[in-house]
Amino acid sequence: KAGVTQTPRYLIKTRGQQVTLSCSPISGHRSVSWYQQTPGQGLQFLFEYFSETQRNKGNFPGRFSGRQFSNSRSEMNVSTLELGDSALYLCASSLLGGATNEKLFFGSGTQLSVL
Amino acid sequence: DAKTTQPNSMESNEEEPVHLPCNHSTISGTDYIHWYRQLPSQGPEYVIHGLTSNVNNRMASLAIAEDRKSSTLILHRATLRDAAVYYCILRDQGDDKIIFGKGTRLHILP
């Protein structure tokens, strides 16, 4: 069974640009969540999607958005990039999400550098 | 804020057992305790989880205190490949916002 796939693996952008990251969950998983990881703040929850609907959102500005497609693949978008957006962006999938005993499966992440 | 507290770093010798502690004094009755680890240049991977009873799997054991205010992840025989950041998190019923703390960076000495 293929794992969680994130593309691209690395990305370099300049301030003011916008970026779209992609996440393909494990087949059959319907919940996809996104996290930002930086050395200073650690792993921070961005949002979670289930059946094409955003179910939960972390404390990030509106420049961060996402969506989920009918095949459960998800994308996240960051508009008007700032230097502080440089981070490793991770997505995780699970069968249903929201179940306290459910495992999360993470991708390897997209390393975004904003210059 | 993270609901768990872990030491910033720990060190262990190869082929010896490792006990990684986690405090979660505000845990509620329905919270599951999960452990994940993150190897260098990878996303976190699931290690183990439990509710009240001690749990064992091929990777590790989880010992949960009787009052559930703390738990310990046990790696029975550490190898160099176990060097990683270990995260202890609580999964709250109905709350999908999983909050990761800073975790414990485990160093394994050959």
Side-chain angles (χ1 to χ4, degrees):
Chain A
K1 206 178 203 182
V4 178
T5 304
Q6 290 189 249
T7 56
R9 187 72 178 92
Y10 301 94
L11 206 47
I12 299 175
K13 292 285 188 178
T14 55
R15 276 183 301 173
Q17 286 187 311
Q18 67 109 23
V19 67
T20 299
L21 312 181
S22 179
C23 173
S24 293
I26 290 173
S27 177
H29 285 194
R30 294 168 64 189
S31 169
V32 174
S33 50
W34 288 88
Y35 298 81
Q36 181 195 64
Q37 186 172 33
T38 58
Q41 298 297 319
L43 269 160
Q44 292 186 283
F45 174 81
L46 279 157
F47 28 65
E48 188 246 351
Y49 285 87
F50 177 79
S51 289
E52 302 177 65
T53 301
Q54 186 181 90
R55 262 198 318 203
N56 230 320
K57 192 177 192 304
N59 296 323
F60 280 83
R63 300 185 297 107
F64 291 81
S65 63
R67 60 178 176 168
Q68 187 180 34
F69 302 96
S70 58
N71 62 356
S72 294
R73 190 177 70 85
S74 177
E75 289 181 348
M76 68 161 280
N77 185 277
V78 188
S79 61
T80 320
L81 283 165
E82 300 176 0
L83 295 178
D85 297 333
S86 295
L88 179 67
Y89 289 88
L90 292 157
C91 84
S93 79
S94 62
L95 270 171
L96 298 173
T100 54
N101 61 348
E102 201 171 66
K103 301 176 193 177
L104 291 176
F105 295 84
F106 284 83
S108 296
T110 293
Q111 183 67 53
L112 172 65
S113 298
V114 182
L115 306 178
Chain B
D1 288 344
K3 303 176 187 177
T4 62
T5 306
Q6 300 176 252
N8 289 335
S9 67
M10 289 184 63
E11 225 172 58
S12 180
N13 294 318
E14 198 178 8
E15 298 186 7
E16 289 187 358
V18 182
H19 291 236
L20 296 161
C22 180
N23 287 318
H24 28 77
S25 57
T26 60
I27 191 170
S28 72
T30 55
D31 286 350
Y32 272 79
I33 302 157
H34 287 246
W35 284 81
Y36 285 78
R37 72 179 186 181
Q38 188 171 18
L39 302 168
S41 303
Q42 294 186 28
E45 66 172 342
Y46 168 83
V47 178
I48 200 165
H49 75 277
L51 184 61
T52 55
S53 308
N54 294 346
V55 185
N56 300 295
N57 67 21
R58 63 171 182 82
M59 286 181 74
S61 295
L62 175 59
I64 301 172
E66 208 167 315
D67 64 3
R68 301 208 329 124
K69 293 184 186 299
S70 66
S71 61
T72 302
L73 179 71
I74 302 164
L75 306 179
H76 295 286
R77 195 165 164 270
T79 69
L80 294 177
R81 288 177 296 177
D82 291 321
V85 178
Y86 287 78
Y87 297 98
C88 165
I89 63 173
L90 301 182
R91 294 212 62 183
D92 188 3
Q93 183 71 34
D95 184 357
D96 299 319
K97 290 185 188 179
I98 299 173
I99 300 174
F100 284 80
K102 300 290 187 182
T104 296
R105 184 171 296 278
L106 176 64
H107 302 272
I108 304 296
L109 305 174

